[in-house]
Amino acid sequence: MSDTGREGTFFAVEDGARWTCSGRIALDNAQKVLEAANGLPLPKGGVVDLSGLEHADSATLAVLLALRRRASTEGADLAFVDVPPVIVSLARVYGVDSLVGV
């Protein structure tokens, strides 16, 4: 994972059944990425694939937590798959691994 690259984005795939994330999510763009994601309907299948994430840090973790909070508020399930190791580590250090589902 590099710290430069495409702006991060979430987009619906499989007819809205899941989201895929690509690019980088970091402190400088996390709010913009979250606002764009909040403009999408939650994935029908409740799955967000993070395999296309090029850079992740604590701001990325904050975005994921905000998405989980949104799903909870809307009464939906949301699971992250192919979570980058740095997010797993950060979630464990901050004690929110169960909230992120890692």
Side-chain angles (χ1 to χ4, degrees):
M1 245 184 252
S2 70
D3 61 356
T4 60
R6 298 174 292 137
E7 285 290 308
T9 187
F10 290 94
F11 54 95
V13 295
E14 299 174 9
D15 200 25
R18 62 193 289 138
W19 284 359
T20 297
C21 179
S22 68
R24 58 180 280 283
I25 302 174
L27 184 59
D28 66 328
N29 71 344
Q31 185 63 37
K32 180 179 170 184
V33 171
L34 180 59
E35 288 171 0
N38 283 336
L40 296 172
L42 289 171
K44 297 174 202 169
V47 175
V48 179
D49 180 354
L50 301 177
S51 63
L53 198 55
E54 296 171 7
H55 172 84
D57 60 20
S58 59
T60 312
L61 180 59
V63 168
L64 300 181
L65 290 170
L67 292 174
R68 285 289 298 257
R69 190 168 36 254
R70 172 186 167 199
S72 178
T73 299
E74 294 182 22
D77 291 324
L78 195 65
F80 302 107
V81 298
D82 291 322
V83 180
V86 67
I87 293 298
V88 173
S89 294
L90 286 169
R92 288 184 178 143
V93 166
Y94 295 140
V96 296
D97 46 327
S98 64
L99 296 175
V100 180
V102 297

